[in-house]
């Protein structure tokens, strides 16, 4: 059996200085190899000249033939026929018959190191590695797939516990006459690696120890590349850091407690921003924001802003503290807000504290707030209340893409309670549920189903802040009706009720990767009692643009009960 050494190195086509005649070469080859040969065989180029008859011309032919043979070998063709038709002096034909493609006949994977010496769990892992090998027996041989299969095997071994894994030997033994290839790979896992202490560099203006507060890694944990990448990505997403690299020392001598090296570059701490915009819900707006990610040189993040809209004005300031071992993110802040929607003027001031926790695709938030609210409904008596409220939020975002979901769901649950402050003493509780389901249809379409349920439990709605009651209508709600126009009538105004229910079905057809059209139907209402609940329905058509910030929606909706057409504009993700 002949053994071939595979090589994809191609010799350049060197032409003598005295060559003058232009040469055209036509290729005759099967479609499966034509593109490869046209891309890499120099003789098939656009500016080839013909040497004078003699040794130079013969050398050119030999080099071209060698290039073809070496290229076809990388694709598994080891017995090709390559010949030239040179009947026309300045127009040749290169005729290539690749022959039978070689198939993989035997795959031998050998494991050494701690992986091969371990117990049942690691033996099961070896079985999984053999099962996951991608260039198996009976498959056509290609050099690129052979290289990729070896690299994938090495990555799989080295991804967890065995950080110093290496391939000690690999061999592809070819039998051209039989059209078979025998593959052999020996891989040494090395010793198991366990994490040591963090070794942080690059901290200057930020406080020492801030990186450790974000870390979920603990000394003694087994090495897991995905855990390190998640830690790196989490740090990179924090505004304090412009760049982050997390890696370990892969020296087998330090495997028992390998240092975790964290190199960071600090971001500019302060940022001032300005913006303008428009929403069909609240009209035109201008806003300014200020952020300081190293407030008082403690690594605190200050996020503040002023937003002036036609129907709503607000100013806020929130301070976020660094997390503790990457588990909880505490914050405190203040808010001033005034709105004039559907005949109801609401002025509120609030201070509060919150704790947020993010674990994979689940986010939880617990918030306590002291709030003063003044209500001025048109045609009714103004009221003023002070309340203390607590609210717990749980959100699971299980979707394929956060900015452009096509498959999966979002589930949100809120539970809250509160009490008014003297002179009255009214207690209330609130429950809210929202579910959004994304279903892929065919290759390019998506069906979006959405539902909301809410209830506030109290003897009456008097004294309960509007945040703990419900109004609906508008973009991301019941389209075809004005923003927050569905609720309880008080005088000439629409105020919040104790019960909420909405449902929506939307079908989006993407005409192009960034442009789509939608058809939808929404229904829902907010009321002060279940007996007063009366579903209002809207339906219509819309356009979608997949912007860098997510799908933007322009919808023209008809409110069935109002008999009016309304235009809605907003982000098409109800997160």
């Amino acid at each position: 059996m002949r053994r071939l050494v595979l090589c994809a190195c191609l010799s350049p086509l060197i032409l003598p200085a005295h060559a003058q005649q232009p040469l055209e070469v036509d290729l005759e080859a099967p479609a499966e190899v034509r593109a490869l040969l046209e891309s890499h065989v120099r003789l098939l180029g656009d500016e080839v000249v013909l040497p004078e008859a003699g040794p130079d011309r013969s050398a050119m032919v030999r080099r071209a033939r060698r290039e073809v043979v070496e290229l076809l070998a990388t694709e598994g063709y080891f017995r090709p026929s390559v010949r030239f038709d040179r009947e026309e002096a300045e127009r040749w034909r290169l005729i290539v018959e690749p022959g039978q493609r070689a198939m993989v006949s035997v795959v031998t994977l050998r494991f050494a190191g701690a992986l091969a010496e371990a117990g049942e769990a690691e033996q099961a892992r070896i079985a999984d590695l053999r099962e996951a090998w991608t260039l198996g027996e009976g498959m056509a041989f290609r050099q690129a797939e052979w290289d990729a299969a070896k690299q994938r095997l090495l990555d799989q071994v080295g991804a967890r516990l065995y950080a110093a894994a290496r391939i000690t030997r690999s061999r592809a033994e070819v039998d051209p006459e039989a059209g078979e290839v025998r593959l052999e790979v020996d891989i040494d896992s090395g010793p198991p690696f366990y994490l040591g202490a963090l070794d942080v560099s690059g901290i200057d203006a930020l406080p020492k120890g801030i990186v450790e507060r974000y870390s979920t890694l603990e000394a003694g944990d087994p090495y897991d590349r995905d855990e390190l990448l998640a830690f790196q990505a989490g740090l990179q997403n924090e505004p304090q850091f412009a760049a982050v690299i997390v890696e370990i020392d892969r020296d087998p001598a330090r495997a028992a407690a390998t240092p975790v090296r964290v190199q960071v570059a600090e971001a500019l701490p302060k940022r001032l921003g300005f913006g303008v915009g428009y929403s069909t819900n609240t009209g035109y707006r201008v806003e300014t924001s200020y952020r300081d990610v190293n407030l008082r040189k403690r690594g605190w993040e200050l996020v503040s802003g002023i937003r002036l809209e036609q129907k709503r004005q607000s100013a806020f300031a929130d301070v976020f503290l660094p997390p503790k071992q990457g588990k909880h993110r505490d914050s405190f802040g203040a808010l001033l807000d005034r709105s004039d929607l559907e005949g109801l003027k609401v002025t509120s001031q609030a201070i509060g504290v919150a704790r947020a926790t993010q674990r994979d695709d689940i986010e939880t938030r617990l918030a306590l707030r002291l709030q003063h609210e003044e209500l001025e409904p048109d045609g009714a008596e103004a009221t003023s209340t002070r309340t203390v409220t607590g609210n717990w939020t749980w959100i699971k975002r299980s979707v394929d893409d956060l900015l452009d979901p096509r498959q999966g769901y979002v589930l949100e649950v809120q539970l809250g309670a509160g009490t008014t402050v003297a002179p009255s003493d009214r207690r209330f509780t609130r429950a809210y549920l929202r579910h959004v389901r994304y279903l892929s249809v065919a290759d390019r379409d998506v069906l979006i189903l959405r539902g909301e349920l809410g209830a506030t439990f109290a003897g009456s709605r008097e004294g309960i802040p509007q945040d703990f009651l419900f109004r609906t209508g508008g973009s991301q709600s019941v389209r075809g009706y004005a923003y927050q126009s569905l609720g309880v009538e008080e005088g000439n105004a629409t105020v919040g009720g104790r019960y909420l229910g909405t449902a929506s079905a939307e079908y989006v057809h993407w005409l192009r990767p960034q442009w789509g059209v939608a058809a939808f139907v929404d229904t829902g209402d907010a009321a002060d009692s279940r007996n007063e609940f009366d579903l209002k329905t809207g339906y219509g058509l819309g356009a979608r643009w997949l912007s860098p910030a997510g799908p933007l929606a322009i919808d023209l909706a008809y409110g069935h009960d109002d008999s009016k057409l309304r235009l809605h504009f907003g982000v098409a993700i109800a997160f």
Side-chain angles (χ1 to χ4, degrees):
M1 179 173 65
R2 289 163 44 193
R3 295 176 180 174
L4 302 183
V5 177
L6 303 182
C7 178
C9 301
L10 304 180
S11 302
L13 185 62
I14 302 175
L15 299 176
H18 61 273
Q20 296 178 353
Q21 291 180 293
L23 175 64
E24 294 186 19
V25 181
D26 296 327
L27 174 64
E28 292 186 11
E32 60 265 26
V33 298
R34 173 178 288 276
L36 175 71
L37 299 177
E38 289 177 339
S39 299
H40 297 286
V41 175
R42 295 284 301 276
L43 191 62
L44 299 175
D46 295 333
E47 298 180 357
V48 178
V49 292
L50 181 64
E52 296 180 359
D56 290 332
R57 185 176 298 185
S58 298
M60 180 182 71
V61 171
R62 288 195 300 272
R63 281 192 293 268
R65 182 177 284 111
R66 184 169 62 249
E67 288 178 358
V68 172
V69 170
E70 291 176 353
L71 280 168
L72 292 177
T74 66
E75 294 295 304
Y77 300 101
F78 297 105
R79 299 191 67 186
S81 170
V82 182
R83 64 183 189 275
F84 284 91
D85 182 346
R86 294 182 282 175
E87 293 182 357
E88 298 183 34
E90 298 177 7
R91 189 178 186 90
W92 295 0
R93 285 192 304 152
L94 173 57
I95 304 170
V96 178
E97 297 175 1
Q100 181 182 359
R101 195 174 212 169
M103 310 297 286
V104 176
S105 60
V106 177
V107 177
T108 303
L109 305 180
R110 304 184 185 92
F111 297 89
L115 175 62
E117 301 168 0
E120 293 183 3
E122 293 307 307
Q123 292 303 315
R125 184 176 176 185
I126 289 177
D128 291 340
L129 292 169
R130 296 185 192 277
E131 182 71 22
W133 175 258
T134 56
L135 188 58
E137 296 176 5
M139 298 179 63
F141 177 84
R142 291 183 67 247
Q143 182 68 40
E145 293 181 6
W146 165 232
D147 293 338
K150 291 185 292 182
Q151 186 59 52
R152 190 177 294 109
L153 175 64
L154 181 60
D155 290 343
Q156 290 171 335
V157 175
R160 180 165 52 87
L161 204 58
Y162 303 107
R166 61 192 181 93
I167 292 177
T168 57
R169 178 177 178 271
S170 67
R171 180 183 180 88
E173 187 176 288
V174 179
D175 183 349
E177 296 179 357
E180 295 179 349
V181 183
R182 299 170 61 91
L183 304 180
E184 299 180 19
V185 180
D186 294 353
I187 189 166
D188 185 351
S189 70
F193 277 67
Y194 298 90
L195 302 184
L198 296 185
D199 179 10
V200 181
S201 61
I203 296 295
D204 182 21
L206 291 169
K208 303 299 181 183
I210 187 171
V211 170
E212 287 78 359
R213 295 192 59 150
Y214 285 96
S215 176
T216 58
L217 307 176
E218 295 185 8
D221 284 350
Y223 164 76
D224 189 313
R225 183 176 59 199
D226 290 342
E227 292 291 335
L228 264 65
L229 291 175
F231 176 40
Q232 176 177 296
L235 283 178
Q236 186 68 72
N237 289 333
E238 295 299 329
Q240 288 89 350
F241 307 108
V244 180
I245 298 177
V246 178
E247 57 186 0
I248 65 167
D249 187 337
R250 298 178 184 274
D251 183 356
R254 310 187 73 175
T258 181
V260 180
R261 296 171 178 165
V262 184
Q263 304 175 50
V264 303
E266 296 179 346
L268 293 176
K270 300 178 181 181
R271 180 179 299 175
L272 182 65
F274 300 92
V276 296
Y278 173 78
S279 166
T280 51
N281 287 342
T282 53
Y284 293 98
R285 73 173 182 270
V286 294
E287 59 185 313
T288 181
S289 62
Y290 174 75
R291 171 180 284 188
D292 185 348
V293 299
N294 194 18
L295 185 67
R296 298 181 61 83
K297 298 188 182 300
R298 296 186 177 183
W300 296 0
E301 180 187 358
L302 167 66
V303 180
S304 60
I306 298 175
R307 173 176 289 190
L308 304 177
E309 300 172 281
Q310 287 180 286
K311 299 180 181 180
R312 188 169 192 171
Q313 303 81 44
S314 60
F316 67 92
D318 292 301
V319 176
F320 297 88
L321 308 184
K324 298 179 180 179
Q325 286 76 50
K327 295 180 179 179
H328 306 296
R329 189 78 183 270
D330 296 329
S331 64
F332 58 90
L335 170 69
L336 302 175
D337 186 84
R338 187 179 189 280
S339 63
D340 186 354
L341 298 165
E342 295 301 311
L344 177 64
K345 297 182 179 66
V346 181
T347 303
S348 62
Q349 308 89 36
I351 57 174
V353 297
R355 166 167 288 186
T357 304
Q358 183 77 47
R359 286 291 179 271
D360 299 324
D361 58 358
I362 296 177
E363 175 186 349
T364 59
R365 177 181 171 85
L366 179 63
L368 298 176
R369 174 188 269 192
L370 173 62
Q371 178 174 330
H372 173 236
E373 182 177 86
E374 297 177 358
L375 301 182
E376 299 178 53
D378 292 347
E381 183 180 354
T383 60
S384 175
T385 59
R386 291 181 176 85
T387 55
V388 176
T389 61
N391 199 62
W392 176 79
T393 303
W394 182 95
I395 303 177
K396 181 179 178 64
R397 299 181 178 94
S398 180
V399 294
D400 55 348
D401 189 324
L402 286 175
L403 292 181
D404 181 25
R406 305 290 179 95
Q407 187 70 35
Y409 67 90
V410 178
L411 180 62
E412 177 179 357
V413 178
Q414 292 185 22
L415 299 174
T419 181
T420 57
V421 181
S424 64
D425 184 15
R426 179 181 300 278
R427 294 179 176 86
F428 51 89
T429 57
R430 177 181 183 270
Y432 172 79
L433 173 67
R434 178 173 66 98
H435 182 72
V436 184
R437 170 72 67 172
Y438 299 89
L439 300 171
S440 293
V441 180
D443 294 330
R444 308 174 68 174
D445 298 353
V446 58
L447 175 64
I448 305 172
L449 304 175
R450 173 177 51 82
E452 291 178 293
L453 291 173
T456 299
F457 303 99
S460 75
R461 56 184 167 80
E462 302 300 329
I464 300 176
Q466 290 295 299
D467 288 347
F468 270 65
L469 296 173
F470 304 99
R471 288 191 289 175
T472 190
S475 177
Q476 296 297 317
S477 180
V478 183
R479 287 162 287 189
Y481 300 86
Y483 179 54
Q484 294 198 351
S485 64
L486 304 181
V488 178
E489 292 184 4
E490 183 174 323
N492 299 320
T494 301
V495 302
R498 289 179 293 167
Y499 297 94
L500 170 74
T502 70
S504 173
E506 178 174 313
Y507 190 91
V508 182
H509 173 61
W510 291 97
L511 302 170
R512 295 183 179 180
Q514 289 186 303
W515 293 96
V517 294
F520 57 86
V521 57
D522 303 333
T523 188
D525 192 22
D528 206 35
S529 70
R530 290 185 289 269
N531 293 333
E532 297 172 353
F533 202 80
D534 183 18
L535 291 176
K536 307 295 192 299
T537 301
Y539 40 84
L541 301 174
R544 300 291 181 266
W545 174 50
L546 186 57
S547 74
L552 297 183
I554 299 178
D555 294 321
L556 184 62
Y558 179 76
H560 181 78
D561 293 78
D562 284 357
S563 299
K564 291 183 180 179
L565 277 173
R566 283 186 171 86
L567 186 68
H568 299 279
F569 174 80
V571 178
I573 304 178
F575 271 26

